[in-house]
């Protein structure tokens, strides 16, 4: 049962078509990634889902409700973390959470949330004095303080250092484990690969692919590469005869085999049958990065 | 209402946290009054001012100081900053409407203006024998309409300015004009007559305040103009205000 359904969404700003035709559905309890180059229409799409923008065409349904008509109900049940939303400089962490908690009918306990997000020592610190990572965690806390069924998080870890980014990922997994459906807008492939159950890749206002990260990689960029040093000479034909293998190259003592499917299994089996040991064996698979480039023609931001 | 009350309490706390700015805003007119009042010749009745002292004559202009600071300076700056930094937008995703934050800012602006005016009137009365406004009803009316006109102009600035910088670029000239025509920089009797007459009709309408303070009912035209400015600027602000 999908909790979010977007069908043929369209949104224009003047002459600029931000979203041309986006359809997707998000299942309860999953982490759903929305990927795409800058300006592809990711943010506009989730803003229509969050009821912050009125679509020019197509339909959006969230928890069976209409984000515009049933806005009051949905604001109680959907938490949103927007890109570049700040707080007043002098507002303290605990004050912000207590204030936002007071807007909801069944809020989470602000004190508990502060501890869970590792802001316990900062509860009386003014917003201005928080580090980037702490501000980001507070922002996530504010999106969660209403005990939402769905959390929409836009550019969650942009501007964070690698450690803070990993901490934030751990946190998102915890949130999902507590039963919240998460929609994650990102342009970090590593983030999507680590967190998302499924991703939609949006380019120029359209969905160009929708699958699990691993599924995307294997359909869009299925090529794999194995490197090893054989313990005895290997006849190339031994390898090229395998249906999984597409090419064999040699660089010095190293053999490089390219192919698809169960390549590793096929190669190691044939070597074992001929009592050849593959030393320094390495398998190189395509990543979501490669799939992204393949799909959009853009290098993902890093 | 519940959300509004909590937002109001939080915003009030934020103002109190910036005590120096708060004290300056509320206390500056009274400080100027005290400095002028310490000069003996300004405490003597003078025929230039229909037999009043200069301090009495100048007090309504001092009211303009806080009105201008709060109405056209602080209010638009705070609202433009909140919009630029996405505070209003974040609030729009919660069950609280960002209008609650705007309303809270207006209430606090009014509270500051009122506190400043009361302090000025009481200190003027106790320390320098400036009589309390002699036409209380007219004075209250002139004060309310003048305040409403300036706050509406402030909201209009906040509505049309896209950024904090743009808000300041609009607010500073408006502030200077308000102060100038209000007779703060140069007492009005030193201004050319036509400039002083223009000042009768620019918010907050210092002539109506002076009339009511000294016992003459304020002229309906003076009050009417303030009401028109308040309604027109307020309606413009409501139409043009963008939450993001």
């Amino acid at each position: 049962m999908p909790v979010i359904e977007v069908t043929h969404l369209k949104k224009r700003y003047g002459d600029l078509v931000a979203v041309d035709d986006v359809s997707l559905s998000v299942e309860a309890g999953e982490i759903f990634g929305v990927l795409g180059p800058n300006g592809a229409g990711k943010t506009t799409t989730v803003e229509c889902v969050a009821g912050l923008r009125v679509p020019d065409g197509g339909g959006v349904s969230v928890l069976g409700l209409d984000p515009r008509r049933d806005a009051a109900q949905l604001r109680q049940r959907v938490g949103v973390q927007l890109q570049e939303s700040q707080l007043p400089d002098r507002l303290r962490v605990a004050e912000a959470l207590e204030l936002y908690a007071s807007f909801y009918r069944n809020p989470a306990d602000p004190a508990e949330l502060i501890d869970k997000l590792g802001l316990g020592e900062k509860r009386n610190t003014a917003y201005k004095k928080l580090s980037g990572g702490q501000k980001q965690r507070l922002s996530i806390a504010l999106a969660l303080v209403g005990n939402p069924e769905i959390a929409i998080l836009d550019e969650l870890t942009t501007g964070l250092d690698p450690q803070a980014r990993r901490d934030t990922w751990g946190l998102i997994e915890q949130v999902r484990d507590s039963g919240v459906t998460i929609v994650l807008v990102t342009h970090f492939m590593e983030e999507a690969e680590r967190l998302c159950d499924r991703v939609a890749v949006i380019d120029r206002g359209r969905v160009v692919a929708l699958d699990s990260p691993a599924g995307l990689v294997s359909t869009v960029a299925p090529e794999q590469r194995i490197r090893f040093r054989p313990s005895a000479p290997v006849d190339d034909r031994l390898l090229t005869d395998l249906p999984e293998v597409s090419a064999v190259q040699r660089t010095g003592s190293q053999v490089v085999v390219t192919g698809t499917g169960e390549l590793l299994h096929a190669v190691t089996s044939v070597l074992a049958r001929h009592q050849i040991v593959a030393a320094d064996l390495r398998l190189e698979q395509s990543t979501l990065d490669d799939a992204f480039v393949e799909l959009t023609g853009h290098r993902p931001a890093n | 209402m519940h959300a509004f009350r909590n937002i109001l309490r939080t915003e009030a706390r934020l103002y109190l946290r910036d005590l120096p700015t708060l004290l300056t805003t509320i206390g500056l007119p009274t400080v100027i009054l005290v400095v002028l009042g310490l000069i003996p010749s300004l405490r003597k009745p003078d025929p230039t001012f229909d037999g009043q002292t200069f301090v009495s004559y100048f007090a309504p202009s001092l009211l303009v100081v806080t009105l201008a600071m709060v109405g056209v300076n602080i209010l638009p700056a705070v609202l433009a900053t909140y919009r630029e930094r996405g505070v209003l937008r974040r609030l729009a995703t919660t069950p609280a409407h960002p209008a609650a934050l705007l309303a809270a800012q207006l209430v606090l602006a009014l509270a500051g203006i009122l506190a400043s005016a009361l302090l000025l009137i009481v200190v003027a009365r106790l320390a320098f024998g400036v009589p309390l406004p002699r036409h209380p009803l007219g004075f209250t009316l002139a004060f309310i309409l003048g305040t409403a006109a300036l706050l509406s102009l402030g909201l209009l600035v906040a509505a049309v300015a896209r950024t904090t910088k743009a808000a300041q670029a609009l607010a500073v000239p408006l502030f200077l004009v308000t102060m100038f025509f209000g007779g703060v920089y140069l007492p009005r009797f030193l201004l050319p007559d036509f400039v002083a007459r223009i000042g009768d009709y620019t918010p907050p309408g210092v002539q109506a305040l002076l009339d009511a303070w000294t016992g003459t009912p304020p002229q309906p035209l003076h009050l009417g103009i303030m009401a028109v400015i308040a309604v027109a600027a307020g309606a413009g602000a409501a139409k043009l205000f963008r939450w993001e």
Side-chain angles (χ1 to χ4, degrees):
Chain A
M1 170 70 187
V3 289
I4 297 174
E5 272 190 295
V6 177
T7 43
H8 303 298
L9 182 71
K10 257 187 215 329
K11 177 71 187 173
R12 254 176 252 106
Y13 300 121
D15 286 341
L16 180 80
V17 178
V19 176
D20 188 19
D21 183 4
V22 166
S23 298
L24 50 88
S25 66
V26 178
E27 300 294 324
E30 73 176 335
I31 300 184
F32 187 89
V34 179
L35 307 186
N38 289 331
K42 308 182 296 272
T43 294
T44 303
T45 301
V46 296
E47 284 177 343
C48 288
V49 171
L52 290 169
R53 296 195 187 282
V54 192
D56 294 324
V60 179
S61 155
V62 179
L63 297 166
L65 300 169
D66 178 330
R68 297 301 296 184
R69 214 186 43 232
D70 310 309
Q73 263 196 72
L74 282 177
R75 288 199 191 107
Q76 288 283 349
R77 299 169 66 186
V78 179
V80 183
Q81 190 243 338
L82 296 164
Q83 230 181 109
E84 288 163 17
S85 258
Q86 302 180 51
L87 288 169
D89 279 341
R90 290 193 169 80
L91 192 61
R92 294 174 186 160
V93 170
E95 284 171 352
L97 276 167
E98 277 156 22
L99 176 64
Y100 277 68
S102 78
F103 301 154
Y104 295 91
R105 274 195 295 269
N106 304 304
D109 176 9
E112 219 170 89
L113 202 53
I114 287 173
D115 287 334
K116 199 167 137 192
L117 281 128
L119 289 167
E121 282 171 17
K122 297 286 168 189
R123 82 180 56 238
N124 290 318
T125 304
Y127 182 75
K128 186 173 55 177
K129 300 245 169 85
L130 297 176
S131 71
Q134 290 160 347
K135 283 179 180 168
Q136 197 68 281
R137 273 181 276 159
L138 176 56
S139 193
I140 297 167
L142 290 176
L144 299 176
V145 76
N147 262 333
E149 292 159 59
I150 300 175
I152 298 175
L153 308 169
D154 195 355
E155 298 292 356
L156 187 64
T157 60
T158 303
L160 297 190
D161 61 57
Q163 185 55 48
R165 186 171 295 155
R166 282 193 168 67
D167 292 347
T168 308
W169 291 345
L171 182 75
I172 296 307
E173 283 169 334
Q174 276 178 41
V175 172
R176 188 263 301 274
D177 291 344
S178 69
V180 181
T181 305
I182 293 170
V183 176
L184 190 70
V185 179
T186 184
H187 58 258
F188 289 114
M189 296 305 124
E190 201 192 342
E191 181 165 299
E193 217 158 14
R194 154 86 188 263
L195 287 177
C196 297
D197 299 303
R198 290 190 308 141
V199 297
V201 180
I202 296 184
D203 190 29
R204 296 185 195 92
R206 287 167 173 271
V207 177
V208 292
L210 203 164
D211 204 339
S212 66
L216 261 190
V217 172
S218 63
T219 46
V220 177
E223 193 132 286
Q224 306 169 36
R225 190 171 287 142
I226 297 171
R227 294 168 186 277
F228 61 91
R229 276 190 303 106
S231 59
V234 186
D235 186 351
D236 273 8
R237 267 181 310 170
L238 214 58
L239 297 166
T240 48
D241 283 348
L242 295 168
E244 288 86 355
V245 173
S246 53
V248 176
Q249 290 169 293
R250 289 171 187 275
T251 48
S253 63
Q254 210 176 40
V255 179
V256 182
V257 184
T258 8
T260 54
E262 296 298 321
L263 180 67
L264 182 64
H265 178 71
V267 170
T268 47
S269 308
V270 81
L271 291 177
R273 269 204 302 284
H274 292 82
Q275 272 121 44
I276 299 169
V277 176
D280 298 339
L281 182 128
R282 290 219 321 265
L283 173 66
E284 291 167 13
Q285 281 174 309
S286 301
T287 60
L288 201 52
D289 259 5
D290 302 305
F292 186 86
V293 175
E294 206 52 46
L295 281 165
T296 66
H298 292 77
R299 277 236 71 85
N302 253 323
Chain B
M1 271 329 272
H2 180 63
F4 168 70
R5 242 190 0 253
N6 290 326
I7 289 174
L8 180 61
R9 191 184 315 133
T10 304
E11 294 298 309
R13 217 181 271 162
L14 296 182
Y15 274 112
L16 288 172
R17 219 158 262 170
D18 188 8
L19 210 55
T21 306
L22 187 68
L23 290 180
T24 310
T25 310
I26 291 176
L28 186 63
T30 305
V31 171
I32 301 173
L33 178 87
V34 169
V35 169
L36 294 174
L38 291 175
I39 303 168
S41 65
L42 300 182
R43 291 198 309 261
K44 292 211 174 73
D46 187 322
T48 317
F49 315 121
D50 296 331
Q52 303 172 57
T53 65
F54 174 79
V55 169
S56 298
Y57 169 81
F58 196 57
S61 287
L62 287 173
L63 284 176
V64 177
V65 176
T66 301
L67 279 169
M69 278 200 297
V70 174
V72 301
N73 239 345
I74 298 177
L75 181 67
V78 170
L79 292 178
T81 307
Y82 278 4
R83 178 174 46 218
E84 189 174 55
R85 304 186 69 190
V87 175
L88 298 177
R89 220 162 106 76
R90 188 200 297 273
L91 213 51
T93 70
T94 73
H97 196 276
L101 183 54
L102 199 145
Q105 285 295 334
L106 272 176
V107 168
L108 292 169
L110 274 173
I113 288 168
L114 214 59
S116 168
L118 282 175
L119 183 69
L120 181 80
I121 292 168
V122 168
V123 170
R125 171 74 189 84
L126 296 180
F128 308 109
V130 177
L132 296 178
R134 289 198 168 122
H135 199 290
L137 185 67
F139 184 81
T140 309
L141 205 57
F143 189 73
I144 289 174
L145 290 174
T147 303
L150 270 183
L151 290 179
S152 299
L153 282 176
L155 287 178
L156 188 60
V157 169
V160 297
R162 284 174 172 269
T163 61
T164 311
K165 279 213 172 89
Q168 274 163 352
L170 285 170
V172 169
L174 194 59
F175 174 76
L176 296 178
V177 166
T178 304
M179 297 278 276
F180 176 71
F181 285 111
V184 180
Y185 296 133
L186 266 184
R188 282 156 38 93
F189 73 94
L190 294 176
L191 294 173
D193 194 51
F194 80 97
V195 174
R197 291 292 76 76
I198 292 173
D200 295 350
Y201 300 103
T202 57
V206 73
Q207 187 61 45
L209 289 167
L210 182 61
D211 285 345
W213 204 322
T214 54
T216 322
Q219 293 177 30
L221 181 62
H222 289 163
L223 296 181
I225 296 276
M226 288 314 124
V228 167
I229 292 174
V231 170
K239 195 167 163 50
L240 297 172
F241 200 89
R242 300 167 330 135
W243 299 109
E244 51 186 83

